[in-house]
Amino acid sequence: MLLNMEIKVCSLQRVSFTKGLESSASYYFPQVAIAAMLILLVILLIKMNNRVLVFGSWLIALTGVILLSIKAIEPYNAGLGFGFFVALAFLFMFVIFLFGIAFLMYGIRKRRQF
């Protein structure tokens, strides 16, 4: 009986420890992902000649990173203020995606001319 109670206590402690790590990792995911995207942009702009094509595809990838960041922190933040910012981010994601497509099409057209 005593051994059974000790196993239950240990298993409860592991669940709460894992939940804390999951919450912490999900909370810092957006900052790390956007910093990595900025580093990737700088590296690609230095290496590639067709900067418009790089910037267009980077903007399209940025919308995916923003969407994944919003989805990662969604369960941990709730409320009216956060909902407003998420709605604003979704609207800006659509605009960023359209600009990314426009830059990408212009970059493809520019590459064909040369």
Side-chain angles (χ1 to χ4, degrees):
M1 179 80 171
L2 183 61
L3 182 61
N4 192 13
M5 288 175 39
E6 287 178 13
I7 292 172
K8 287 182 183 179
V9 169
C10 290
S11 66
L12 288 176
Q13 288 174 351
R14 275 190 234 136
V15 170
S16 65
F17 179 70
T18 306
K19 184 69 173 169
L21 283 178
E22 179 184 282
S23 174
S24 177
S26 296
Y27 185 73
Y28 289 111
F29 175 73
Q31 292 94 343
V32 171
I34 291 176
M37 286 294 291
L38 289 173
I39 292 170
L40 179 68
L41 177 66
V42 169
I43 291 171
L44 288 175
L45 285 177
I46 291 171
K47 297 276 183 183
M48 302 294 285
N49 292 334
N50 194 351
R51 293 179 183 209
V52 178
L53 186 66
V54 168
F55 194 63
S57 43
W58 182 81
L59 282 175
I60 292 172
L62 182 66
T63 58
V65 168
I66 292 172
L67 179 68
L68 289 175
S69 299
I70 290 171
K71 287 306 209 181
I73 63 172
E74 182 180 13
Y76 304 105
N77 295 324
L80 183 62
F82 185 71
F84 173 72
F85 288 122
V86 168
L88 197 62
F90 276 122
L91 290 174
F92 279 121
M93 275 178 36
F94 181 69
V95 171
I96 291 170
F97 187 72
L98 288 179
F99 273 108
I101 290 174
F103 278 118
L104 192 63
M105 295 305 292
Y106 180 72
I108 290 171
R109 193 173 297 147
K110 186 177 174 183
R111 185 175 63 178
R112 287 183 186 167
Q113 289 177 355
F114 290 115

